[in-house]
Amino acid sequence: MSKQFRNNPDYKAAFSAAVTELIASNRANPIPRHERMRIIGALTDEYVASTGERPDVAELGRLADAVLYEELTDTNRMKSRDEEYPILSEHQLARRQSGKYKRWDTEGEVPLEVALHYATDGHNYCFPNRRRRTIEEMIWMDWHSRSRNKDRRDHYNAFIAGKHSYIAEHVDKIDLRLEDGTEVDVEIIEKEVAPIRHLEYGRRTYKNIKISP
């Protein structure tokens, strides 16, 4: 394929037409890659020699696509597994980057942004952001914090009194259903003798040094 661009007032349009002709010819009857690259090199060399300019970026992009015709038209959906350097289509890339364009036979792919901050050692190096607790979580924490505070207070009172144990109360709430179908909340208070622990060091126990649980 040889095109003359010298003394052509519209040489850019002539070069674009030559590129279009090359692409159409390759689609109709695929040209071997080495022969295709030889034709593309001869076409661009003639254009530069005739005009003293480089071809437009858009035309060079079309010629690059013509060189990679086999890779760009590969419909194998497992090319990422089978090829060392796969070239993904726009839809394939969007599925992997943002989870778009789900296939009819799959539930969708996990986007790459999920693993954005994971290193090869499997650790997440994302900057930690603390989330806000829900209302249920704050109620749960408030309830158990009060229970622990009461237990600590009883333990401390027994400690300053020189006792070795104190009475610990555990309150459990249960739901009861009466014969008429009414549901009521009942609190069950369980009492037990909780010992006060002492300092242990070197397989010895120091009774004069008490510590809270």
Side-chain angles (χ1 to χ4, degrees):
M1 181 180 298
S2 177
K3 298 291 180 181
Q4 297 294 331
F5 306 104
R6 194 181 303 276
N7 299 327
N8 189 337
D10 198 3
Y11 55 90
K12 291 187 177 182
F15 183 78
S16 179
V19 174
T20 303
E21 181 181 351
L22 172 62
I23 294 174
S25 176
N26 184 60
R27 287 179 178 176
N29 186 18
I31 306 171
R33 191 192 300 270
H34 65 278
E35 179 66 18
R36 198 186 322 146
M37 295 182 65
R38 186 192 64 79
I39 296 174
I40 292 175
L43 182 63
T44 54
D45 290 344
E46 183 177 352
Y47 181 87
V48 173
S50 301
T51 64
E53 301 176 4
R54 297 180 58 183
D56 292 341
V57 175
E59 302 302 331
L60 292 177
R62 295 174 64 195
L63 291 175
D65 292 345
V67 173
L68 300 174
Y69 177 78
E70 289 80 7
E71 287 79 5
L72 296 178
T73 56
D74 184 9
T75 58
N76 180 19
R77 66 186 183 93
M78 305 302 292
K79 63 174 68 175
S80 296
R81 182 195 64 184
D82 300 337
E83 303 293 337
E84 184 176 4
Y85 301 104
I87 298 179
L88 305 178
S89 65
E90 294 182 1
H91 282 198
Q92 289 174 329
L93 187 60
R95 276 200 299 268
R96 288 159 175 78
Q97 287 184 337
S98 57
K100 297 181 178 179
Y101 306 114
K102 296 181 180 180
R103 293 179 57 88
W104 64 271
D105 57 344
T106 61
E107 297 181 356
E109 299 185 21
V110 179
L112 294 176
E113 60 185 15
V114 175
L116 180 62
H117 300 286
Y118 282 88
T120 55
D121 57 1
H123 292 285
N124 186 357
Y125 291 92
C126 177
F127 185 80
N129 292 322
R130 181 175 297 177
R131 68 174 179 86
R132 296 180 62 88
R133 295 191 180 99
T134 63
I135 298 298
E136 292 76 9
E137 290 174 335
M138 288 190 290
I139 293 174
W140 185 90
M141 292 186 60
D142 186 54
W143 170 262
H144 288 273
S145 296
R146 288 202 303 266
S147 300
R148 289 195 302 270
N149 290 339
K150 182 179 181 304
D151 185 71
R152 293 191 184 106
R153 183 172 61 253
D154 295 339
H155 191 95
Y156 179 73
N157 292 336
F159 169 74
I160 61 178
K163 301 179 180 179
H164 294 280
S165 62
Y166 70 101
I167 303 300
E169 294 184 355
H170 301 279
V171 180
D172 294 330
K173 285 189 174 182
I174 61 173
D175 296 332
L176 293 181
R177 184 183 297 273
L178 303 180
E179 294 181 355
D180 57 356
T182 306
E183 293 184 356
V184 295
D185 295 335
V186 178
E187 290 186 355
I188 298 179
I189 301 178
E190 298 180 354
K191 295 185 178 182
E192 63 177 353
V193 178
I196 296 180
R197 296 186 300 134
H198 299 82
L199 177 64
E200 295 182 359
Y201 180 75
R203 297 184 179 179
R204 296 183 59 184
T205 301
Y206 298 86
K207 294 291 185 180
N208 60 333
I209 304 178
K210 305 179 181 66
I211 57 176
S212 59

